[in-house]
Amino acid sequence: MGPTPRTHGIARATITLTGPCGEEVLFRGIALTVASQASALGPLVLLGAVAFVASHHVSPGTNGRASDRALLTEIFASAVLLILTLLSESLYPALLAHLLNNVPAAVLQLQRENKGRLSMP
């Protein structure tokens, strides 16, 4: 990653650390909402897992996630976070795991500052 203005790095780090809250509620909250209805659980849980992976691949090639390895990692993470959610009957374990996963990316964004560049070209 190249240098970037400090404000851009702060914005990216903030999104990286706040995004998991919305993602967990949106994609795995569905599973908790319908957990008592076993017949509806399968399709909705699958839909939530697919939507989670798809949301990270909306624009492949521009976000560094175009590789097969990245896709498999996200599918695995989606399954693990879903299992955490269903077993604990809470979003908190999956949210904590998601935040821990995103912390290194946030730190990298904060380290990208270039004091010589005040604005993006």
Side-chain angles (χ1 to χ4, degrees), residues 27 30 63:
F27 300 126
I30 295 169
N63 59 10

Side-chain angles (χ1 to χ4, degrees), residues 50-62:
V50 169
F52 176 79
V53 173
S55 73
H56 288 83
H57 289 273
V58 171
S59 54
T62 61

Side-chain angles (χ1 to χ4, degrees), residues 30-49:
I30 295 169
L32 286 179
T33 307
V34 297
S36 61
Q37 301 171 353
S39 62
L41 185 61
L44 287 176
V45 168
L46 181 61
L47 178 63

Side-chain angles (χ1 to χ4, degrees), residues 8-29:
H8 292 210
I10 290 171
R12 288 185 188 121
T14 301
I15 290 168
T16 300
L17 294 175
T18 58
C21 298
E23 288 181 356
E24 293 305 323
V25 168
L26 179 64
F27 300 126
R28 274 166 275 290

Side-chain angles (χ1 to χ4, degrees), residues 100-121:
L100 288 173
N101 178 69
N102 287 10
V103 166
V107 171
L108 286 174
Q109 290 298 333
L110 294 173
Q111 293 176 343
R112 292 180 61 193
E113 179 183 8
N114 180 357
K115 294 179 183 177
R117 275 175 64 180
L118 297 177
S119 64
M120 295 293 288

